[in-house]
Amino acid sequence: LLMYMYWKDSKRWIFLLLSLFGTVFGMLFHEFGIVTPLVIIFYDVIFDGRSLIHYPKKYWYYLLYLITIPSYIWIRNIASSHWFSGDYNYKLSNLPFNIFGNLLGYIALVFVGTASLPYYEQIRMYGKEHVFTVVGILLTVFILFGVTYYFLLRKIQYKQWQVVLFGFGFFVITLLTFLGLGNITTRYVYLPSFGLLLLFVYLSLDKIYLISREVPTVATGIISTVSLALIAVIIVAVVYGLKMFR
């Protein structure tokens, strides 16, 4: 993605080649690599959406990225290395619930750490036995999001919206291959966490900057409090992880 951003700014072909090389090479390391073309296209949709709509032919190089996806699947098929088996199997009837539940679980992992896993498992077990309750919660969440957008989020400036959408979109897209599974694990959230942290840091720094212009001491207090809170969360997560490891 970084090489692609350089290519967009400079139009130097070396950066496009490096971006394509990184896309292909990344797939050889982890399943995460398969979503790289989607992340790149999503980046343009957010930050260059109008041009993409009016001049789609300019983005012919998307084909070079997208062709890597069926090629990767074909190679895995030849190697008899399939995802849809065992722990990596999807059940269509549970897919919406798994996506919603896993999304919340991974968000908790990012901000709370592994200490959230026992509570996630309890909520998941409860949800299996109370499906209608889960459906009600889903509808409530969508309604609350709509109300929040109407009264608060629509006041955010367009450039801020771009960062917000890209941060959350990056988080979701990089988790796409794992959201439908019947469980969550910490190793899947390493890369996606960048999206939420980008979102959190950007919005926090933006508000702190506005406050610092009027009341510098308050801004300093906020930064100190947040820093101490994050340090406390990290310590708790490390201690809990060590206990789990033992």
Side-chain angles (χ1 to χ4, degrees):
L1 177 59
L2 182 60
M3 292 297 103
Y4 178 76
M5 293 167 66
Y6 287 150
W7 146 255
K8 293 279 291 185
D9 290 337
S10 66
K11 294 301 179 183
R12 295 177 61 182
W13 290 99
I14 184 63
F15 291 125
L16 179 62
L17 293 176
L18 287 174
S19 177
L20 288 168
F21 176 77
T23 299
V24 174
F25 207 60
M27 293 181 180
L28 302 179
F29 280 90
H30 201 279
E31 301 95 308
F32 273 125
I34 199 171
V35 301
T36 304
L38 303 182
V39 172
I40 289 173
I41 294 174
F42 181 72
Y43 171 83
D44 276 344
V45 169
I46 297 300
F47 295 101
D48 204 15
R50 294 178 182 177
S51 177
L52 184 60
I53 294 174
H54 292 99
Y55 308 101
K57 291 183 179 180
K58 289 174 53 179
Y59 299 87
W60 55 269
Y61 43 84
Y62 284 170
L63 295 175
L64 301 177
Y65 288 97
L66 291 173
I67 199 173
T68 61
I69 297 177
S71 300
Y72 176 68
I73 295 174
W74 177 67
I75 292 174
R76 290 201 63 153
N77 184 58
I78 292 177
S80 299
S81 176
H82 303 289
W83 290 320
F84 305 117
S85 61
D87 292 336
Y88 294 91
N89 194 20
Y90 295 104
K91 190 174 182 180
L92 294 179
S93 60
N94 294 333
L95 197 59
F97 303 105
N98 284 343
I99 291 175
F100 178 75
N102 289 345
L103 198 59
L104 293 181
Y106 282 120
I107 291 174
L109 272 178
V110 172
F111 291 110
V112 181
T114 53
S116 64
L117 287 175
Y119 301 101
Y120 163 81
E121 293 295 340
Q122 292 177 13
I123 294 173
R124 190 177 187 88
M125 293 300 296
Y126 177 85
K128 288 181 179 180
E129 300 176 358
H130 303 83
V131 178
F132 291 105
T133 303
V134 174
V135 173
I137 293 174
L138 284 172
L139 294 175
T140 303
V141 168
F142 285 125
I143 293 172
L144 288 175
F145 178 80
V147 172
T148 302
Y149 171 78
Y150 183 80
F151 287 104
L152 180 62
L153 295 182
R154 68 174 183 168
K155 298 179 181 179
I156 297 178
Q157 296 180 1
Y158 178 69
K159 290 185 177 180
Q160 291 177 318
W161 254 119
Q162 288 180 311
V163 178
V164 169
L165 290 176
F166 178 75
F168 189 74
F170 183 92
F171 175 74
V172 174
I173 291 174
T174 50
L175 276 174
L176 277 179
T177 53
F178 309 112
L179 286 177
L181 302 179
N183 52 32
I184 65 173
T185 185
T186 54
R187 68 179 182 274
Y188 295 153
V189 82
Y190 296 152
L191 176 63
S193 63
F194 169 78
L196 288 187
L197 295 177
L198 172 68
L199 176 60
F200 175 75
V201 170
Y202 175 78
L203 293 178
S204 300
L205 291 179
D206 183 65
K207 297 300 181 184
I208 291 173
Y209 173 73
L210 293 176
I211 295 173
S212 66
R213 294 174 62 182
E214 300 180 2
V215 191
T217 54
V218 174
T220 304
I222 292 174
I223 294 174
S224 301
T225 303
V226 172
S227 299
L228 290 173
L230 289 176
I231 291 172
V233 169
I234 292 172
I235 292 174
V236 170
V238 170
V239 171
Y240 181 81
L242 289 174
K243 289 182 178 179
M244 291 290 292
F245 179 76
R246 290 175 183 176

